[in-house]
């Protein structure tokens, strides 16, 4: 007989460490969230870069900060020569707080870590004690009168915390990747438009001409169809007008003819 598979909650309750583990988990999550916020905040604010150019205006060297350290100055002069022969420029830019990156990391990193730890524990227990036995359901074939509400309840009952966590991680990844993808596509499209504006303008004119030609052909086709329908309707009315007087003429002709059976 296979021993009963233990639960993590039973281990905590039996050793009286549940409160300690929960407290350490909450403390770890708070520290992690604080580190994520500090990392995101360090990327915001005013940024200054020192750019060194030659007499022709070509950029030779670039570093962060407003001055060169003694080591950077020694490396620069050993590579490019005396610093007095070059010009130094300060470039300052203001970076906003990366809200999207912070929100993605603040949600995705803790949820991802929890899912990884839970998966590792579950995999360890499955390898140690085997797969859990699946008990047959009491009512595998629900009655038709149970309705759609019962089916939805069964679907939601089958959703576990792992499914919710995976959906949250996927949503965070999409929230981070989709705007970046759209931004990169917009920059590439704008660069292509600036570089090949004549080609883009010619292609737009060609597509506009093709569209106008298609609309004109559809207009001519619709007009011809309407004219054909009008002609058909005229012929039909003419046919009905002539066919309505024909039986009367035949009747009068038959009454005026002499009888041949005298």
């Amino acid at each position: 007989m296979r021993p009963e598979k233990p639960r993590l909650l039973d281990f905590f309750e039996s050793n009286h460490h549940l409160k300690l583990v929960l407290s350490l988990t909450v403390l770890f999550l708070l520290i992690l969230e604080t580190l994520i916020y500090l990392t995101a905040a360090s990327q915001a604010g005013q940024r200054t870069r020192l750019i060194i150019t030659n007499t022709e205006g070509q950029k030779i060297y670039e570093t962060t900060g407003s001055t060169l350290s003694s080591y950077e100055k020694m490396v620069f002069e050993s590579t490019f020569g005396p610093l007095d022969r070059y010009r130094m420029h300060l470039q300052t830019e203001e970076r906003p707080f990366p809200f999207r990156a912070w929100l993605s990391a603040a949600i995705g990193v803790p949820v991802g870590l929890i899912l990884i730890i839970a998966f590792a524990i579950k995999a360890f227990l499955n390898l140690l004690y085997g797969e859990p036995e699946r008990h047959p359901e009491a009512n595998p074939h629900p009655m038709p009168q149970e309705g759609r509400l019962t089916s939805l309840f069964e679907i939601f009952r089958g959703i576990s915390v792992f499914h919710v966590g995976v959906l949250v991680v996927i949503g965070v990844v999409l929230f981070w990747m989709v705007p970046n993808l759209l931004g990169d596509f917009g920059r590439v499209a704008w660069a292509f438009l600036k570089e090949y504006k004549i080609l883009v303008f010619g292609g737009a004119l060609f597509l506009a001409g093709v569209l106008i030609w298609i609309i004109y052909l559809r207009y001519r086709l619709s007009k011809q169809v309407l004219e054909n329908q009008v002609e058909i309707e005229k012929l039909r009315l003419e046919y009905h007008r002539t066919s309505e007087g024909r039986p009367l003429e035949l009747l009068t002709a038959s009454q005026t003819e002499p009888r041949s059976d005298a």
Side-chain angles (χ1 to χ4, degrees):
M1 183 177 180
R2 188 172 59 183
E4 186 180 357
K5 187 175 179 179
R7 296 182 305 170
L8 195 61
L9 181 61
D10 297 335
F11 174 76
F12 289 148
E13 289 180 349
S14 60
N15 292 275
H16 305 286
H17 294 319
L18 180 59
K19 292 184 179 180
L20 178 61
V21 171
L22 290 178
S23 301
L24 292 177
T25 303
V26 172
L27 181 62
F28 172 75
L29 291 178
L30 288 177
I31 294 174
L32 182 61
E33 292 291 341
T34 304
L35 291 176
I36 292 173
Y37 176 78
L38 292 178
T39 304
S42 65
Q43 302 297 322
Q46 193 175 16
R47 289 290 179 271
T48 304
R49 292 183 299 172
L50 179 63
I51 300 175
I52 301 176
T53 60
N54 56 12
T55 55
E56 298 177 355
Q58 298 177 351
K59 184 170 65 175
I60 302 299
Y61 188 78
E62 180 181 350
T63 183
T64 58
S66 58
T67 58
L68 288 175
S69 63
S70 58
Y71 176 76
E72 290 176 340
K73 184 177 180 181
M74 181 185 64
V75 172
F76 180 84
E77 290 184 346
S78 64
T79 305
F80 301 102
L83 188 60
D84 299 335
R85 296 187 304 178
Y86 299 93
R87 298 176 181 176
M88 292 186 294
H89 307 276
L90 288 178
Q91 185 177 3
T92 304
E93 61 178 353
E94 189 71 26
R95 293 183 180 180
F97 181 78
F99 177 77
R100 187 161 50 85
W102 167 75
L103 184 61
S104 301
I107 298 176
V109 173
V111 173
L113 288 176
I114 292 173
L115 288 178
I116 291 174
I117 295 173
F119 176 77
I121 294 175
K122 189 174 182 180
F124 174 76
L125 294 178
N126 288 337
L127 290 175
L128 187 62
Y129 294 96
E131 293 288 339
E133 297 180 357
R134 296 182 178 180
H135 300 283
E137 297 181 358
N139 189 13
H141 302 287
M143 298 299 293
Q145 60 269 18
E146 289 184 353
R148 186 176 300 176
L149 184 61
T150 306
S151 302
L152 291 176
F153 177 74
E154 293 293 332
I155 293 175
F156 283 111
R157 191 173 64 177
I159 298 176
S160 64
V161 67
F162 294 98
H163 299 95
V164 177
V166 170
L167 291 177
V168 170
V169 171
I170 293 175
V172 168
V173 171
L174 292 178
F175 178 72
W176 168 252
M177 292 181 62
V178 170
N180 290 339
L181 180 63
L182 293 177
D184 294 339
F185 178 77
R187 285 190 292 270
V188 170
W190 179 249
F192 181 80
L193 181 62
K194 289 172 59 179
E195 185 71 20
Y196 304 99
K197 57 178 64 176
I198 298 177
L199 180 62
V200 174
F201 184 71
L205 286 179
F206 175 76
L207 292 178
V210 171
L211 183 61
I212 293 173
W213 180 251
I214 291 174
I215 294 174
Y216 175 73
L217 291 179
R218 292 292 301 269
Y219 166 74
R220 290 290 303 273
L221 181 62
S222 300
K223 182 179 178 181
Q224 188 65 35
V225 169
L226 289 176
E227 290 177 356
N228 293 338
Q229 289 180 353
V230 170
E231 293 295 332
I232 292 173
E233 190 67 22
K234 287 181 179 179
L235 293 175
R236 189 177 65 83
L237 293 175
E238 184 68 21
Y239 174 76
H240 281 289
R241 187 180 65 81
T242 55
S243 62
E244 286 177 359
R246 188 174 303 170
L248 184 59
E249 294 175 357
L250 293 177
L251 182 59
T252 55
S254 62
Q255 290 179 356
T256 54
E257 288 180 358
R259 291 187 177 179
S260 59
D261 53 350

